[in-house]
Amino acid sequence: MSLKDTINLENLPKHLAIIMDGNGRWAKQKGMLRAFGHENGTKSVRVTVESCAKLGIENLTLYAFSTENWNRPKLEVDTLMKLLINSLKNELKTLSGNDIRLNCIGNIDLLPKSAQKQLEEVITKTKDNKRMTLTLALSYGSREEIVRAVRAISDKVKNNIISTTDIDESIINQHLYTQNLPDVDLLIRTSGEHRISNFLLWQIAYAELYFTDVLWPDFSEENLYEAIVSYQKRERRFGKTSEQIK
């Protein structure tokens, strides 16, 4: 029996998020430039996206480029932007063929106009797909997202659209980039790092965390299954006792 056969299809995470880490170190280990790692990382993206869709996972969010990543060397940032544009062009057929809708979260206005245009095109062409929503976190930072939400809510209070007593979790959710997505059930981080790195801080409040030493370009279908099997072995109590949830 393969590992895939042990997965309970009735207990899949409704929202899986992944911090794709380790491209640079993978390239360095091979004596190559960091760009080589990023290029090979796109292969793992394709495998992961297709595998999640086939399993029946409804929402997959990938941390593709953070607000902090803008501080990297210009050459690397330019390479990442070109890679993004090419990947969007090349993967449109794959997304459409697998009935996957593309979504994007983050401060997209900071992306090069060419990247914005390509992103908008793929989002538009896949908007009616139903099987899975693939969300790319681009120029994304959770603290920036929360600050943006607080400002928007404050403006509504100031203009008497809502009152302070109206503000609850639901109102905050409505002002986040992820307003149309459920909370994260499982968060995976590759490359052996054990931190969240400003990713979906509000949305992972009760997520199960899974860390693996595998560098992102080496992350395989089997590694994905291992993470899901680990998730399914855990007891999710959401603050309750074991007895209460049985």
Short mmCIF file of all heavy atoms in Angstrom, two decimals, residues 81-139:
data_model
loop_
_atom_site.label_atom_id
_atom_site.label_comp_id
_atom_site.label_asym_id
_atom_site.label_seq_id
_atom_site.Cartn_x
_atom_site.Cartn_y
_atom_site.Cartn_z
N MET A 81 10.78 38.02 -10.64
CA MET A 81 9.65 38.62 -11.35
C MET A 81 9.53 38.03 -12.77
O MET A 81 8.43 37.74 -13.24
CB MET A 81 9.82 40.14 -11.42
CG MET A 81 9.65 40.85 -10.08
SD MET A 81 8.02 40.58 -9.31
CE MET A 81 8.49 39.59 -7.88
N LYS A 82 10.67 37.85 -13.44
CA LYS A 82 10.64 37.24 -14.78
C LYS A 82 10.14 35.79 -14.70
O LYS A 82 9.37 35.33 -15.56
CB LYS A 82 12.05 37.27 -15.39
CG LYS A 82 12.51 38.65 -15.80
CD LYS A 82 13.95 38.63 -16.32
CE LYS A 82 14.44 40.04 -16.64
NZ LYS A 82 15.88 40.06 -17.03
N LEU A 83 10.57 35.11 -13.67
CA LEU A 83 10.16 33.72 -13.46
C LEU A 83 8.66 33.65 -13.20
O LEU A 83 7.98 32.75 -13.69
CB LEU A 83 10.93 33.13 -12.27
CG LEU A 83 10.93 31.61 -12.10
CD1 LEU A 83 11.46 30.92 -13.34
CD2 LEU A 83 11.77 31.23 -10.89
N LEU A 84 8.15 34.62 -12.44
CA LEU A 84 6.71 34.68 -12.17
C LEU A 84 5.93 34.84 -13.47
O LEU A 84 4.96 34.11 -13.71
CB LEU A 84 6.42 35.85 -11.23
CG LEU A 84 4.94 36.22 -11.03
CD1 LEU A 84 4.18 35.08 -10.38
CD2 LEU A 84 4.82 37.50 -10.19
N ILE A 85 6.35 35.78 -14.29
CA ILE A 85 5.66 36.04 -15.56
C ILE A 85 5.68 34.80 -16.45
O ILE A 85 4.65 34.39 -17.00
CB ILE A 85 6.30 37.24 -16.29
CG1 ILE A 85 6.07 38.52 -15.48
CG2 ILE A 85 5.72 37.39 -17.69
CD1 ILE A 85 6.90 39.70 -15.97
N ASN A 86 6.85 34.19 -16.58
CA ASN A 86 6.97 33.00 -17.43
C ASN A 86 6.15 31.83 -16.90
O ASN A 86 5.52 31.10 -17.67
CB ASN A 86 8.44 32.59 -17.56
CG ASN A 86 9.25 33.57 -18.39
OD1 ASN A 86 8.70 34.28 -19.23
ND2 ASN A 86 10.55 33.64 -18.15
N SER A 87 6.16 31.67 -15.58
CA SER A 87 5.39 30.58 -14.97
C SER A 87 3.90 30.75 -15.20
O SER A 87 3.19 29.79 -15.50
CB SER A 87 5.69 30.51 -13.46
OG SER A 87 7.04 30.16 -13.23
N LEU A 88 3.43 31.99 -15.07
CA LEU A 88 2.01 32.26 -15.29
C LEU A 88 1.62 31.95 -16.73
O LEU A 88 0.56 31.35 -16.99
CB LEU A 88 1.69 33.72 -14.97
CG LEU A 88 1.71 34.10 -13.48
CD1 LEU A 88 1.68 35.61 -13.30
CD2 LEU A 88 0.54 33.46 -12.75
N LYS A 89 2.48 32.32 -17.66
CA LYS A 89 2.21 32.03 -19.07
C LYS A 89 2.19 30.52 -19.33
O LYS A 89 1.30 29.99 -19.99
CB LYS A 89 3.29 32.68 -19.95
CG LYS A 89 3.19 34.18 -20.08
CD LYS A 89 4.32 34.71 -20.95
CE LYS A 89 4.26 36.22 -21.08
NZ LYS A 89 5.41 36.75 -21.87
N ASN A 90 3.20 29.84 -18.78
CA ASN A 90 3.37 28.41 -19.05
C ASN A 90 2.34 27.54 -18.34
O ASN A 90 2.00 26.46 -18.83
CB ASN A 90 4.78 27.97 -18.63
CG ASN A 90 5.86 28.63 -19.46
OD1 ASN A 90 5.62 29.06 -20.58
ND2 ASN A 90 7.06 28.73 -18.90
N GLU A 91 1.88 27.99 -17.18
CA GLU A 91 1.00 27.14 -16.38
C GLU A 91 -0.48 27.39 -16.60
O GLU A 91 -1.31 26.69 -16.01
CB GLU A 91 1.33 27.30 -14.89
CG GLU A 91 2.74 26.89 -14.51
CD GLU A 91 3.09 25.47 -14.92
OE1 GLU A 91 2.21 24.59 -14.85
OE2 GLU A 91 4.24 25.23 -15.32
N LEU A 92 -0.84 28.34 -17.43
CA LEU A 92 -2.26 28.61 -17.69
C LEU A 92 -2.97 27.36 -18.20
O LEU A 92 -4.08 27.03 -17.76
CB LEU A 92 -2.41 29.76 -18.69
CG LEU A 92 -3.84 30.08 -19.13
CD1 LEU A 92 -4.72 30.42 -17.92
CD2 LEU A 92 -3.85 31.22 -20.14
N LYS A 93 -2.32 26.66 -19.11
CA LYS A 93 -2.92 25.44 -19.67
C LYS A 93 -3.11 24.39 -18.58
O LYS A 93 -4.15 23.70 -18.53
CB LYS A 93 -2.02 24.89 -20.78
CG LYS A 93 -2.61 23.70 -21.52
CD LYS A 93 -1.71 23.29 -22.67
CE LYS A 93 -2.30 22.09 -23.42
NZ LYS A 93 -1.41 21.65 -24.54
N THR A 94 -2.13 24.25 -17.69
CA THR A 94 -2.21 23.28 -16.60
C THR A 94 -3.35 23.64 -15.64
O THR A 94 -4.11 22.77 -15.21
CB THR A 94 -0.89 23.24 -15.80
OG1 THR A 94 0.17 22.85 -16.68
CG2 THR A 94 -0.97 22.24 -14.66
N LEU A 95 -3.47 24.92 -15.32
CA LEU A 95 -4.54 25.37 -14.42
C LEU A 95 -5.91 25.10 -15.04
O LEU A 95 -6.80 24.55 -14.38
CB LEU A 95 -4.39 26.86 -14.12
CG LEU A 95 -3.16 27.29 -13.30
CD1 LEU A 95 -3.08 28.80 -13.21
CD2 LEU A 95 -3.18 26.67 -11.91
N SER A 96 -6.05 25.45 -16.29
CA SER A 96 -7.33 25.25 -16.97
C SER A 96 -7.66 23.76 -17.11
O SER A 96 -8.79 23.34 -16.90
CB SER A 96 -7.31 25.92 -18.35
OG SER A 96 -7.12 27.31 -18.22
N GLY A 97 -6.63 22.97 -17.45
CA GLY A 97 -6.83 21.53 -17.62
C GLY A 97 -7.21 20.82 -16.34
O GLY A 97 -7.87 19.77 -16.37
N ASN A 98 -6.81 21.38 -15.20
CA ASN A 98 -7.14 20.78 -13.90
C ASN A 98 -8.28 21.50 -13.19
O ASN A 98 -8.57 21.23 -12.02
CB ASN A 98 -5.89 20.79 -13.01
CG ASN A 98 -4.87 19.74 -13.41
OD1 ASN A 98 -5.00 18.57 -13.09
ND2 ASN A 98 -3.85 20.17 -14.14
N ASP A 99 -8.94 22.42 -13.90
CA ASP A 99 -10.10 23.15 -13.36
C ASP A 99 -9.73 23.93 -12.09
O ASP A 99 -10.48 23.95 -11.11
CB ASP A 99 -11.25 22.16 -13.07
CG ASP A 99 -12.59 22.86 -12.92
OD1 ASP A 99 -12.74 23.97 -13.44
OD2 ASP A 99 -13.48 22.29 -12.26
N ILE A 100 -8.55 24.58 -12.13
CA ILE A 100 -8.05 25.32 -10.96
C ILE A 100 -8.19 26.82 -11.19
O ILE A 100 -7.82 27.34 -12.25
CB ILE A 100 -6.57 24.98 -10.70
CG1 ILE A 100 -6.42 23.49 -10.37
CG2 ILE A 100 -6.00 25.83 -9.57
CD1 ILE A 100 -4.98 23.01 -10.35
N ARG A 101 -8.72 27.51 -10.21
CA ARG A 101 -8.89 28.96 -10.27
C ARG A 101 -7.69 29.63 -9.61
O ARG A 101 -7.29 29.25 -8.52
CB ARG A 101 -10.17 29.37 -9.54
CG ARG A 101 -10.47 30.87 -9.58
CD ARG A 101 -11.82 31.16 -8.95
NE ARG A 101 -11.76 31.11 -7.50
CZ ARG A 101 -11.53 32.16 -6.72
NH1 ARG A 101 -11.30 33.35 -7.25
NH2 ARG A 101 -11.52 32.03 -5.41
N LEU A 102 -7.11 30.62 -10.27
CA LEU A 102 -5.98 31.35 -9.68
C LEU A 102 -6.48 32.58 -8.94
O LEU A 102 -7.35 33.31 -9.41
CB LEU A 102 -4.98 31.79 -10.76
CG LEU A 102 -3.71 32.48 -10.21
CD1 LEU A 102 -2.86 31.48 -9.43
CD2 LEU A 102 -2.90 33.11 -11.33
N ASN A 103 -5.91 32.77 -7.76
CA ASN A 103 -6.23 33.91 -6.91
C ASN A 103 -4.90 34.52 -6.47
O ASN A 103 -3.85 33.89 -6.57
CB ASN A 103 -7.05 33.41 -5.70
CG ASN A 103 -7.45 34.52 -4.75
OD1 ASN A 103 -7.79 35.61 -5.18
ND2 ASN A 103 -7.40 34.24 -3.46
N CYS A 104 -4.91 35.74 -5.99
CA CYS A 104 -3.68 36.38 -5.55
C CYS A 104 -3.95 37.27 -4.35
O CYS A 104 -4.99 37.94 -4.29
CB CYS A 104 -3.09 37.20 -6.70
SG CYS A 104 -1.47 37.89 -6.32
N ILE A 105 -3.04 37.27 -3.38
CA ILE A 105 -3.16 38.15 -2.22
C ILE A 105 -1.84 38.89 -2.04
O ILE A 105 -0.77 38.37 -2.36
CB ILE A 105 -3.51 37.38 -0.92
CG1 ILE A 105 -2.47 36.30 -0.62
CG2 ILE A 105 -4.91 36.78 -1.02
CD1 ILE A 105 -2.66 35.61 0.73
N GLY A 106 -1.92 40.10 -1.53
CA GLY A 106 -0.72 40.88 -1.30
C GLY A 106 -0.83 42.27 -1.91
O GLY A 106 -1.86 42.63 -2.52
N ASN A 107 0.20 43.06 -1.74
CA ASN A 107 0.25 44.42 -2.28
C ASN A 107 0.71 44.36 -3.74
O ASN A 107 1.86 44.64 -4.06
CB ASN A 107 1.18 45.29 -1.44
CG ASN A 107 1.05 46.76 -1.75
OD1 ASN A 107 0.41 47.14 -2.73
ND2 ASN A 107 1.66 47.60 -0.93
N ILE A 108 -0.21 43.96 -4.59
CA ILE A 108 0.10 43.68 -5.99
C ILE A 108 0.58 44.92 -6.74
O ILE A 108 1.31 44.82 -7.73
CB ILE A 108 -1.13 43.08 -6.70
CG1 ILE A 108 -1.68 41.89 -5.90
CG2 ILE A 108 -0.78 42.62 -8.11
CD1 ILE A 108 -0.65 40.83 -5.58
N ASP A 109 0.20 46.10 -6.27
CA ASP A 109 0.59 47.34 -6.95
C ASP A 109 2.11 47.52 -6.99
O ASP A 109 2.63 48.28 -7.82
CB ASP A 109 -0.03 48.55 -6.25
CG ASP A 109 -1.54 48.62 -6.45
OD1 ASP A 109 -2.03 47.97 -7.39
OD2 ASP A 109 -2.21 49.30 -5.66
N LEU A 110 2.82 46.83 -6.10
CA LEU A 110 4.28 46.94 -6.07
C LEU A 110 4.96 46.07 -7.13
O LEU A 110 6.15 46.25 -7.41
CB LEU A 110 4.81 46.56 -4.68
CG LEU A 110 4.40 47.46 -3.51
CD1 LEU A 110 5.01 46.95 -2.21
CD2 LEU A 110 4.84 48.90 -3.76
N LEU A 111 4.23 45.14 -7.71
CA LEU A 111 4.80 44.27 -8.75
C LEU A 111 5.01 45.06 -10.04
O LEU A 111 4.31 46.04 -10.30
CB LEU A 111 3.86 43.09 -9.03
CG LEU A 111 3.60 42.10 -7.90
CD1 LEU A 111 2.58 41.06 -8.35
CD2 LEU A 111 4.88 41.42 -7.45
N PRO A 112 5.98 44.64 -10.87
CA PRO A 112 6.15 45.29 -12.17
C PRO A 112 4.84 45.22 -12.97
O PRO A 112 4.08 44.26 -12.83
CB PRO A 112 7.24 44.45 -12.84
CG PRO A 112 7.97 43.79 -11.72
CD PRO A 112 6.95 43.55 -10.65
N LYS A 113 4.58 46.22 -13.78
CA LYS A 113 3.33 46.27 -14.56
C LYS A 113 3.15 45.03 -15.42
O LYS A 113 2.03 44.53 -15.59
CB LYS A 113 3.32 47.52 -15.45
CG LYS A 113 3.30 48.84 -14.69
CD LYS A 113 2.03 48.97 -13.84
CE LYS A 113 2.01 50.32 -13.12
NZ LYS A 113 0.85 50.43 -12.20
N SER A 114 4.26 44.53 -15.96
CA SER A 114 4.17 43.33 -16.81
C SER A 114 3.69 42.12 -16.02
O SER A 114 2.90 41.30 -16.51
CB SER A 114 5.52 43.03 -17.45
OG SER A 114 6.54 42.95 -16.46
N ALA A 115 4.14 42.02 -14.76
CA ALA A 115 3.72 40.91 -13.90
C ALA A 115 2.26 41.08 -13.51
O ALA A 115 1.49 40.11 -13.49
CB ALA A 115 4.60 40.85 -12.66
N GLN A 116 1.87 42.32 -13.22
CA GLN A 116 0.47 42.59 -12.87
C GLN A 116 -0.46 42.21 -14.03
O GLN A 116 -1.51 41.60 -13.82
CB GLN A 116 0.28 44.07 -12.53
CG GLN A 116 0.94 44.52 -11.25
CD GLN A 116 0.65 45.98 -10.94
OE1 GLN A 116 -0.48 46.45 -11.06
NE2 GLN A 116 1.68 46.72 -10.55
N LYS A 117 -0.05 42.57 -15.23
CA LYS A 117 -0.87 42.29 -16.41
C LYS A 117 -1.02 40.79 -16.64
O LYS A 117 -2.12 40.30 -16.91
CB LYS A 117 -0.22 42.95 -17.64
CG LYS A 117 -1.00 42.75 -18.93
CD LYS A 117 -0.30 43.40 -20.11
CE LYS A 117 -1.08 43.15 -21.40
NZ LYS A 117 -0.37 43.75 -22.57
N GLN A 118 0.09 40.04 -16.52
CA GLN A 118 0.05 38.60 -16.73
C GLN A 118 -0.78 37.92 -15.66
O GLN A 118 -1.55 36.99 -15.92
CB GLN A 118 1.47 38.03 -16.73
CG GLN A 118 1.55 36.58 -17.20
CD GLN A 118 1.09 36.40 -18.63
OE1 GLN A 118 1.49 37.14 -19.52
NE2 GLN A 118 0.21 35.44 -18.86
N LEU A 119 -0.65 38.40 -14.44
CA LEU A 119 -1.41 37.87 -13.31
C LEU A 119 -2.90 38.08 -13.53
O LEU A 119 -3.71 37.15 -13.37
CB LEU A 119 -0.95 38.58 -12.03
CG LEU A 119 -1.29 37.97 -10.67
CD1 LEU A 119 -0.75 36.55 -10.55
CD2 LEU A 119 -0.71 38.85 -9.57
N GLU A 120 -3.26 39.28 -13.92
CA GLU A 120 -4.67 39.62 -14.15
C GLU A 120 -5.26 38.76 -15.26
O GLU A 120 -6.40 38.30 -15.18
CB GLU A 120 -4.79 41.10 -14.51
CG GLU A 120 -6.21 41.59 -14.67
CD GLU A 120 -6.30 43.07 -15.02
OE1 GLU A 120 -5.32 43.80 -14.76
OE2 GLU A 120 -7.34 43.48 -15.54
N GLU A 121 -4.44 38.51 -16.29
CA GLU A 121 -4.91 37.71 -17.42
C GLU A 121 -5.24 36.27 -17.00
O GLU A 121 -6.30 35.73 -17.35
CB GLU A 121 -3.85 37.69 -18.52
CG GLU A 121 -4.26 36.89 -19.75
CD GLU A 121 -3.19 36.86 -20.83
OE1 GLU A 121 -2.39 37.81 -20.88
OE2 GLU A 121 -3.14 35.87 -21.59
N VAL A 122 -4.34 35.67 -16.23
CA VAL A 122 -4.56 34.28 -15.81
C VAL A 122 -5.72 34.19 -14.81
O VAL A 122 -6.53 33.26 -14.86
CB VAL A 122 -3.28 33.68 -15.20
CG1 VAL A 122 -3.52 32.25 -14.72
CG2 VAL A 122 -2.15 33.70 -16.23
N ILE A 123 -5.81 35.16 -13.91
CA ILE A 123 -6.92 35.19 -12.95
C ILE A 123 -8.26 35.28 -13.69
O ILE A 123 -9.21 34.56 -13.37
CB ILE A 123 -6.77 36.38 -11.97
CG1 ILE A 123 -5.62 36.09 -10.99
CG2 ILE A 123 -8.06 36.63 -11.20
CD1 ILE A 123 -5.27 37.26 -10.08
N THR A 124 -8.32 36.13 -14.70
CA THR A 124 -9.56 36.30 -15.48
C THR A 124 -9.91 35.02 -16.25
O THR A 124 -11.07 34.60 -16.26
CB THR A 124 -9.41 37.47 -16.48
OG1 THR A 124 -9.15 38.67 -15.74
CG2 THR A 124 -10.67 37.65 -17.30
N LYS A 125 -8.91 34.41 -16.86
CA LYS A 125 -9.17 33.22 -17.68
C LYS A 125 -9.52 31.98 -16.87
O LYS A 125 -10.07 31.02 -17.41
CB LYS A 125 -7.95 32.93 -18.58
CG LYS A 125 -7.80 33.94 -19.71
CD LYS A 125 -6.65 33.59 -20.63
CE LYS A 125 -6.57 34.55 -21.81
NZ LYS A 125 -5.44 34.25 -22.72
N THR A 126 -9.20 31.99 -15.57
CA THR A 126 -9.48 30.81 -14.73
C THR A 126 -10.58 31.08 -13.71
O THR A 126 -10.86 30.22 -12.86
CB THR A 126 -8.21 30.35 -13.98
OG1 THR A 126 -7.76 31.41 -13.11
CG2 THR A 126 -7.09 30.00 -14.95
N LYS A 127 -11.21 32.24 -13.77
CA LYS A 127 -12.14 32.65 -12.71
C LYS A 127 -13.35 31.72 -12.53
O LYS A 127 -13.94 31.66 -11.45
CB LYS A 127 -12.62 34.08 -12.94
CG LYS A 127 -13.45 34.30 -14.19
CD LYS A 127 -13.81 35.77 -14.35
CE LYS A 127 -14.56 36.05 -15.64
NZ LYS A 127 -15.85 35.36 -15.76
N ASP A 128 -13.71 30.99 -13.57
CA ASP A 128 -14.89 30.11 -13.47
C ASP A 128 -14.53 28.67 -13.12
O ASP A 128 -15.42 27.81 -13.04
CB ASP A 128 -15.66 30.13 -14.80
CG ASP A 128 -16.26 31.51 -15.10
OD1 ASP A 128 -16.69 32.18 -14.14
OD2 ASP A 128 -16.27 31.91 -16.28
N ASN A 129 -13.25 28.39 -12.91
CA ASN A 129 -12.84 27.03 -12.55
C ASN A 129 -13.26 26.71 -11.11
O ASN A 129 -13.24 27.58 -10.25
CB ASN A 129 -11.33 26.87 -12.72
CG ASN A 129 -10.91 26.95 -14.19
OD1 ASN A 129 -11.75 26.88 -15.09
ND2 ASN A 129 -9.63 27.13 -14.44
N LYS A 130 -13.62 25.45 -10.86
CA LYS A 130 -14.27 25.09 -9.60
C LYS A 130 -13.51 24.10 -8.72
O LYS A 130 -13.77 23.99 -7.53
CB LYS A 130 -15.65 24.46 -9.90
CG LYS A 130 -16.55 25.28 -10.80
CD LYS A 130 -17.07 26.51 -10.12
CE LYS A 130 -18.09 27.21 -11.00
NZ LYS A 130 -18.46 28.54 -10.48
N ARG A 131 -12.59 23.34 -9.29
CA ARG A 131 -12.00 22.21 -8.57
C ARG A 131 -11.18 22.65 -7.35
O ARG A 131 -11.28 22.07 -6.27
CB ARG A 131 -11.12 21.41 -9.52
CG ARG A 131 -10.62 20.09 -8.95
CD ARG A 131 -9.77 19.40 -10.00
NE ARG A 131 -9.50 18.02 -9.69
CZ ARG A 131 -8.77 17.23 -10.47
NH1 ARG A 131 -8.25 17.70 -11.59
NH2 ARG A 131 -8.54 15.97 -10.13
N MET A 132 -10.36 23.67 -7.52
CA MET A 132 -9.50 24.14 -6.45
C MET A 132 -9.15 25.60 -6.68
O MET A 132 -9.06 26.05 -7.82
CB MET A 132 -8.20 23.31 -6.37
CG MET A 132 -7.30 23.66 -5.19
SD MET A 132 -5.83 22.59 -5.11
CE MET A 132 -4.75 23.39 -6.31
N THR A 133 -8.97 26.34 -5.58
CA THR A 133 -8.49 27.72 -5.67
C THR A 133 -7.02 27.74 -5.27
O THR A 133 -6.67 27.37 -4.15
CB THR A 133 -9.28 28.66 -4.75
OG1 THR A 133 -10.65 28.71 -5.20
CG2 THR A 133 -8.70 30.07 -4.79
N LEU A 134 -6.17 28.14 -6.21
CA LEU A 134 -4.74 28.30 -5.95
C LEU A 134 -4.47 29.78 -5.71
O LEU A 134 -4.70 30.60 -6.59
CB LEU A 134 -3.92 27.80 -7.15
CG LEU A 134 -2.43 28.17 -7.13
CD1 LEU A 134 -1.72 27.54 -5.94
CD2 LEU A 134 -1.76 27.76 -8.44
N THR A 135 -4.02 30.10 -4.51
CA THR A 135 -3.73 31.50 -4.17
C THR A 135 -2.23 31.71 -4.08
O THR A 135 -1.55 30.99 -3.36
CB THR A 135 -4.39 31.88 -2.83
OG1 THR A 135 -5.81 31.71 -2.94
CG2 THR A 135 -4.09 33.33 -2.47
N LEU A 136 -1.74 32.69 -4.81
CA LEU A 136 -0.33 33.07 -4.72
C LEU A 136 -0.22 34.28 -3.81
O LEU A 136 -0.87 35.30 -4.04
CB LEU A 136 0.23 33.40 -6.10
CG LEU A 136 0.24 32.29 -7.16
CD1 LEU A 136 0.85 32.82 -8.45
CD2 LEU A 136 1.00 31.07 -6.67
N ALA A 137 0.61 34.17 -2.77
CA ALA A 137 0.88 35.31 -1.90
C ALA A 137 2.08 36.03 -2.49
O ALA A 137 3.21 35.55 -2.42
CB ALA A 137 1.17 34.83 -0.48
N LEU A 138 1.83 37.19 -3.08
CA LEU A 138 2.87 37.94 -3.80
C LEU A 138 2.98 39.34 -3.22
O LEU A 138 1.97 40.03 -3.07
CB LEU A 138 2.51 38.03 -5.29
CG LEU A 138 2.61 36.73 -6.10
CD1 LEU A 138 1.85 36.87 -7.41
CD2 LEU A 138 4.08 36.39 -6.36
N SER A 139 4.20 39.76 -2.91
CA SER A 139 4.40 41.04 -2.24
C SER A 139 3.50 41.06 -1.01
O SER A 139 2.82 42.05 -0.73
CB SER A 139 4.07 42.20 -3.19
OG SER A 139 4.45 43.44 -2.61
#
